[in-house]
């Protein structure tokens, strides 16, 4: 049974269509990846699914609740880790989690245990009482994931979860995401522009380009679809999206992407 | 867990739930609880780094020690049989509350640039609670100012009314004033969206709000056009309360009206702020 469905989800900013008629389905327990270059519309899509941005047209349902008409219910069922830093550097890791435990109505007697469990799960027990300002990039990311797990969400949204991390920290975040899915069966919806990340984590991916979905399927099926035994997801990506470098519109696309990034940032 | 939610149809509309009186009791309790969580968050930040509270004390100290001393001597401003330093002390308290609150909105822009706002907005926290919680934290900061000004007043021999009820009233007026101006600040931040523009507009607004009020001179001596501005300026109502409660000068209108104006304006601003706040991430 699908836990997430979108129907013609569309968002325009003035004349720019950031997400065009997105229709897709994510099954419960899946790790689903939305792939695409910067400015493809991934962040806009995730903002509409997490109720931050009203769609221009179309709708989406999470566990049967419409993100436009039942936003309150949706917010209780999802966890969200934004692309940018969302942990508060001036508080300790423990405090960051404690505040969210309260915002998500976790009963007082369970709070402390829930926070400590989440910190332990993300290997942050030793750093719990240090100010987040002193954390490394990978630790901040893990803390943010811990924060988004406190209320045991049905769907966890990760927007570019490893952007800006060094390879070691990236691998560690991947391991934790895989463990999360194995231990709790949480459905994970992530966006990335890294092909190896999608290959390592995702059951299914959708490739997005300029607001449209160019292809959907399992990484294996997508690789098979373009022939070639040794095909990688990179090849798939180039096949469907085209190398933006030698397509004539690169400058315009880049400008558009940057403008979008600025608007959304 | 699901049925607790009141099922507000869309982002900013949660605020209307405050107005549904009967179905709203649980909602109201939730609103108050969440407001306090947001205020707790800000109080914890302040506890980790309280230096801000001390640097903020410099400006009111200068006003009272330098400006106040000089103008008390010259008797340039007619304040009847009230000494000028007594007259201005409540005004300086209102001023430092204004200054601390009016720039508080910039935090929203920082938090938006970082991504913190996104996470709060994706949580089931009522938007009104996010706005009022932030405003309450400005109230906490403002209380520290009140403490400093009372100490200075004691040193300067200002004839303060120490009746507990009067002090309680001062407390309420200071918090209410901070809520009002910090929510105003948040609204500006949501509209202009960049730090540079926000600082510019903040600077432009602060001085007129301060000078077009009864903070450091009585409304009677103003030219007619300024009188009108001072009378629609919420700061004048705050000063009127503080002056009545701190030094016992009779209120220009009535304390009830003063508090009513501050409360009504604050409520209006919070409802507007709750509508605009979610748009800061768009």
């Amino acid at each position: 049974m699908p836990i997430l469905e979108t129907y013609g989800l569309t968002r325009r900013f003035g004349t720019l269509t950031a997400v065009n008629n997105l229709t897709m389905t994510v099954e419960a327990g899946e790790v689903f990846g939305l792939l695409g270059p910067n400015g493809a519309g991934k962040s806009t899509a995730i903002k509409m699914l997490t109720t931050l941005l009203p769609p221009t047209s179309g709708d989406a349902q999470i566990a049967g609740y419409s993100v436009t008409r039942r936003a309150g219910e949706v917010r209780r069922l999802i966890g969200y880790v934004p692309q940018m830093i969302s942990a508060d550097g001036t508080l300790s890791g423990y405090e960051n989690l404690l505040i969210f435990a309260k915002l998500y109505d976790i009963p007082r007697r369970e709070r402390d245990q829930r926070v400590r469990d989440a910190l332990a799960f993300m290997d942050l027990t030793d750093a719990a009482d240090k100010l987040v300002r002193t954390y490394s990039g990978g630790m901040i990311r893990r803390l943010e994931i811990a924060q988004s797990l406190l209320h045991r969400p049905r769907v966890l949204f990760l927007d570019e979860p490893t952007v800006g991390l060094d390879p070691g920290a990236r691998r560690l975040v991947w391991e934790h995401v895989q463990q999360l899915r194995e231990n709790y069966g949480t459905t994970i919806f992530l966006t990335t522009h890294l092909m190896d990340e999608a290959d390592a984590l995702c059951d299914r991916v959708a490739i997005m380009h300029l607001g449209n979905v160019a292809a959907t399927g399992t990484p294996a099926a997508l690789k098979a679809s373009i022939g070639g035994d040794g095909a990688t997801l990179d090849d798939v990506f180039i096949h469907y999206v085209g190398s933006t470098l030698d397509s004539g519109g690169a400058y315009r696309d880049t400008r558009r992407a940057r403008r979008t990034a600025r608007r959304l940032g | 867990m699901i049925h607790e939610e009141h099922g507000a149809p869309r982002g900013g509309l949660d605020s209307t739930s405050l107005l549904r009186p009967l179905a709203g009791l649980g909602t109201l309790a939730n609103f108050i609880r969440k407001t306090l969580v947001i205020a707790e968050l800000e109080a914890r930040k302040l506890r980790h780094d309280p230096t801000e509270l001390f640097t903020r004390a410099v400006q009111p100290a200068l006003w009272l020690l330098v400006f106040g001393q000089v103008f008390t001597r010259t008797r340039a401003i007619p304040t009847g049989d009230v000494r000028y330093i007594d007259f201005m002390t409540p005004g300086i308290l209102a001023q430092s509350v204004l200054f601390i609150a009016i720039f508080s909105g910039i935090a929203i822009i920082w938090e938006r640039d970082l991504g913190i706002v996104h996470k709060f907005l994706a949580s089931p926290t009522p938007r009104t609670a996010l706005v009022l919680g932030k405003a309450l934290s400005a109230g906490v900061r403002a209380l520290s100012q009140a403490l400093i000004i009372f100490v200075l007043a004691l040193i300067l021999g200002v004839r303060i009314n120490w009746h507990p009820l009067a002090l309680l009233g001062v407390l309420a007026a200071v918090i209410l004033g901070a809520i009002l101006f910090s929510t105003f600040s948040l609204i500006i931040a949501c509209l202009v969206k960049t730090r540079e523009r926000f600082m510019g507009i903040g600077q432009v607004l602060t001085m007129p709000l301060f000078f077009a009020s009864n903070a450091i001179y009585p409304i009677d001596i103003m030219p007619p056009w300024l009188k009108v501005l001072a009378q629609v300026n919420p700061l004048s109502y705050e000063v009127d309360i503080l002056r009545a409660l701190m030094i016992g000068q009779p209120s220009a209108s009535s304390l009830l009206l003063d508090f009513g104006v501050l409360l009504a304006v604050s409520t209006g601003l919070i409802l507007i702020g709750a509508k605009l706040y979610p748009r800061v991430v768009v």
Side-chain angles (χ1 to χ4, degrees):
Chain A
M1 188 203 141
I3 191 149
L4 187 158
E5 287 176 282
T6 72
Y7 318 96
L9 201 61
T10 300
R11 176 69 203 202
R12 292 190 196 89
F13 294 102
T15 56
L16 168 78
T17 304
V19 173
N20 185 26
N21 202 21
L22 183 67
T23 299
M24 61 180 179
T25 306
V26 176
E27 300 295 324
E30 237 184 342
V31 178
F32 186 90
L34 201 54
L35 268 68
N38 294 324
K42 304 179 307 268
S43 281
T44 305
I46 225 169
K47 277 185 184 167
M48 288 192 279
L49 294 174
T50 52
T51 76
L52 295 185
L53 188 67
T56 308
S57 62
D59 200 355
Q61 285 196 351
I62 291 173
Y65 292 108
S66 153
V67 296
T68 55
R69 292 187 308 275
R70 306 294 292 275
E73 280 88 347
V74 169
R75 287 181 193 131
R76 284 192 179 275
L77 296 172
I78 62 168
Y80 172 43
V81 180
Q83 184 173 339
M84 295 159 293
I85 291 177
S86 65
D88 203 312
T90 53
L91 296 177
S92 71
Y94 183 90
E95 286 175 313
N96 263 287
L97 265 57
L98 181 69
I99 292 292
F100 270 78
K102 291 181 178 183
L103 289 180
Y104 279 96
D105 296 311
I106 292 165
R108 181 190 294 270
R109 58 186 183 286
E110 284 178 42
R111 245 179 244 150
D112 181 67
Q113 198 51 46
R114 210 56 101 84
V115 168
R116 300 219 174 268
D117 288 349
L119 286 168
F121 183 66
M122 287 289 156
D123 288 328
L124 289 168
T125 302
D126 294 339
D129 295 322
K130 295 200 179 86
L131 289 187
V132 172
R133 241 200 327 254
T134 64
Y135 283 25
S136 69
M139 288 164 77
I140 293 177
R141 204 39 123 195
R142 269 149 47 214
L143 181 76
E144 288 165 348
I145 296 174
Q147 197 176 29
S148 67
L149 291 175
L150 288 167
H151 58 294
R152 302 193 179 135
R154 303 274 300 276
V155 186
L156 177 62
F157 291 91
L158 303 173
D159 195 359
E160 299 274 2
T162 62
V163 77
L165 299 187
D166 60 59
R170 176 171 297 153
R171 200 153 294 279
L172 208 56
V173 168
W174 290 357
E175 281 168 19
H176 280 99
V177 168
Q178 273 156 345
Q179 221 173 49
L180 172 68
R181 188 256 193 119
E182 278 160 29
N183 293 11
Y184 300 103
T186 312
T187 308
I188 295 166
F189 185 105
L190 61 87
T191 69
T192 182
H193 63 278
L194 303 169
M195 292 307 122
D196 54 342
E197 182 158 292
D199 223 354
L201 290 177
C202 299
D203 301 313
R204 276 192 319 133
V205 297
I207 295 176
M208 245 187 131
H209 183 49
L210 297 177
N212 292 290
V213 170
T216 312
T218 63
L222 287 175
K223 285 178 206 167
S225 74
I226 61 160
D229 284 340
T232 65
L233 260 192
D234 270 312
D235 301 329
V236 173
F237 189 72
I238 290 166
H239 176 84
Y240 283 105
V241 171
S243 172
T244 36
L245 278 178
D246 46 53
S247 72
Y251 181 78
R252 209 187 56 221
D253 289 348
T254 306
R255 199 182 55 180
R256 182 189 291 187
R258 290 198 181 156
R259 205 168 45 210
T260 310
R262 194 168 61 225
R263 184 178 292 123
L264 302 184
Chain B
M1 164 178 194
I2 292 162
H3 12 273
E4 281 176 28
E5 189 59 44
H6 43 81
R10 177 66 148 266
L13 293 184
D14 302 28
S15 52
T16 53
S17 54
L18 264 184
L19 306 174
R20 267 178 253 139
L22 277 177
L25 262 188
T27 314
L28 184 67
N30 182 48
F31 163 71
I32 293 170
R33 208 164 51 233
K34 298 301 162 63
T35 300
L36 293 177
V37 174
I38 300 295
E40 176 193 339
L41 162 75
E42 299 294 327
R44 280 174 183 274
K45 286 190 204 172
L46 212 53
R47 199 176 61 186
H48 283 298
D49 185 10
T51 44
E52 180 195 339
L53 297 184
F54 299 104
T55 51
R56 292 274 193 180
V58 174
Q59 200 170 353
L62 282 176
W63 276 92
L64 285 178
L65 295 175
V66 180
F67 187 92
Q69 293 296 300
V70 172
F71 276 72
T72 302
R73 254 163 228 258
T74 60
R75 296 169 201 276
I77 296 168
T79 50
D81 44 9
V82 181
R83 280 193 314 157
Y84 184 68
I85 190 74
D86 293 1
F87 176 87
M88 95 178 279
T89 301
I92 295 304
L93 174 53
Q95 179 217 39
S96 50
V97 171
L98 168 70
F99 283 11
I100 221 166
I102 203 81
F103 289 105
S104 65
I106 201 166
I108 301 302
I109 300 177
W110 279 111
E111 292 178 5
R112 192 275 318 268
D113 288 350
L114 283 172
I116 295 176
V117 173
H118 301 66
K119 207 155 183 170
F120 280 100
L121 287 174
S123 80
T125 315
R127 274 60 184 137
T128 39
L130 291 173
V131 173
L132 182 59
K134 292 272 179 205
L136 259 185
S137 76
V140 173
R141 288 176 163 84
L143 279 184
S144 73
Q145 297 289 291
L147 189 71
I148 285 154
I149 286 170
F150 270 90
V151 170
L152 285 170
L154 207 61
I155 296 168
L156 293 171
V158 175
R159 299 185 195 105
I160 297 271
N161 174 10
W162 294 100
H163 192 282
L165 274 180
L167 291 180
L168 216 60
V170 170
L171 201 88
V174 164
I175 291 179
L176 202 51
I179 287 175
L180 191 155
F181 290 110
S182 69
T183 310
F184 182 54
S185 169
L186 179 128
I187 288 172
I188 293 168
C190 290
L191 291 175
V192 303
K193 293 188 176 186
T194 71
R195 278 185 287 278
E196 294 76 12
R197 275 183 281 177
F198 177 85
M199 286 312 284
I201 291 184
Q203 305 282 8
V204 166
L205 285 175
T206 314
M207 283 305 165
L209 274 171
F210 173 51
F211 287 120
S213 81
N214 53 356
I216 52 173
Y217 31 69
I219 291 185
D220 306 338
I221 65 166
M222 294 179 184
W225 63 271
L226 191 57
K227 266 187 193 158
V228 175
L229 287 181
Q231 252 138 16
V232 295
N233 184 351
L235 189 67
S236 296
Y237 296 85
E238 190 190 342
V239 174
D240 196 53
I241 297 173
L242 294 177
R243 205 161 271 151
L245 296 177
M246 285 171 73
I247 61 162
Q249 191 178 60
S251 162
S253 41
S254 80
L255 286 185
L256 205 63
L257 178 78
D258 290 339
F259 272 113
V261 167
L262 294 185
L263 208 59
V265 174
S266 298
T267 309
L269 289 175
I270 287 165
L271 293 177
I272 295 169
K275 286 259 188 256
L276 292 177
Y277 191 74
R279 290 190 210 164
V280 81
V281 299
V282 172

